Amino acid sequence: MSMQISDDKKIKLLYRVEPGCLGPTGAQTIERFCDYANQQLVAPYFALYHFTARFDKTKAEREYSINARLLSDQHAQAYLAHFKTNKDEFEEQLDELLTQAIESFLER
């Protein structure tokens, strides 16, 4: 059952990745890793992922939006619930995918 949703209706998760998660040289490789993750990690049909380096600690690690409008945590949860998805599980699954992507990126 594959459903089509136009991109402007999808929930977008902007994920700021800590350079440190790539080890001591993370700051030099984080942007290449984000490019890699953006190509490798496929979001569910109702979502979009975008990975970027987190150099600014004042910015949230995760930001949800729809059509460039930022969502509160409550709104993000409500949207995901509509697709029978729990926000914590959604984020846990993504963290696992990200961990696998980091491992395969570092082994290249």
Side-chain angles (χ1 to χ4, degrees):
M1 178 185 101
S2 146
M3 296 182 39
Q4 288 296 316
I5 299 179
S6 62
D7 281 0
D8 65 339
K9 304 255 191 307
K10 291 180 180 181
I11 190 165
K12 180 176 179 179
L13 172 53
L14 173 64
Y15 196 119
R16 295 185 179 93
V17 185
E18 296 279 353
C21 72
L22 293 172
T25 59
Q28 285 93 57
T29 53
I30 189 68
E31 279 159 348
R32 280 203 317 271
F33 171 73
C34 289
D35 290 343
Y36 174 80
N38 284 324
Q39 290 164 4
Q40 297 294 317
L41 298 184
V42 180
Y45 70 93
F46 54 82
L48 298 165
Y49 295 150
H50 184 72
F51 300 95
T52 187
R54 187 181 187 201
F55 292 119
D56 183 348
K57 297 276 195 228
T58 62
K59 294 189 171 165
E61 188 176 22
R62 298 182 179 100
E63 258 179 32
Y64 289 91
S65 62
I66 294 176
N67 204 11
R69 275 205 335 269
L70 276 183
L71 298 182
S72 67
D73 257 10
Q74 271 175 310
H75 283 113
Q77 278 176 354
Y79 182 95
L80 292 168
H82 180 75
F83 293 96
K84 301 189 175 22
T85 302
N86 172 302
K87 184 170 170 278
D88 291 340
E89 288 169 18
F90 180 76
E91 292 180 353
E92 273 172 37
Q93 279 179 318
L94 178 55
D95 286 342
E96 277 177 37
L97 289 173
L98 202 57
T99 300
Q100 291 165 3
I102 289 168
E103 287 169 9
S104 57
F105 177 79
L106 292 175
E107 284 165 12
R108 297 188 320 163

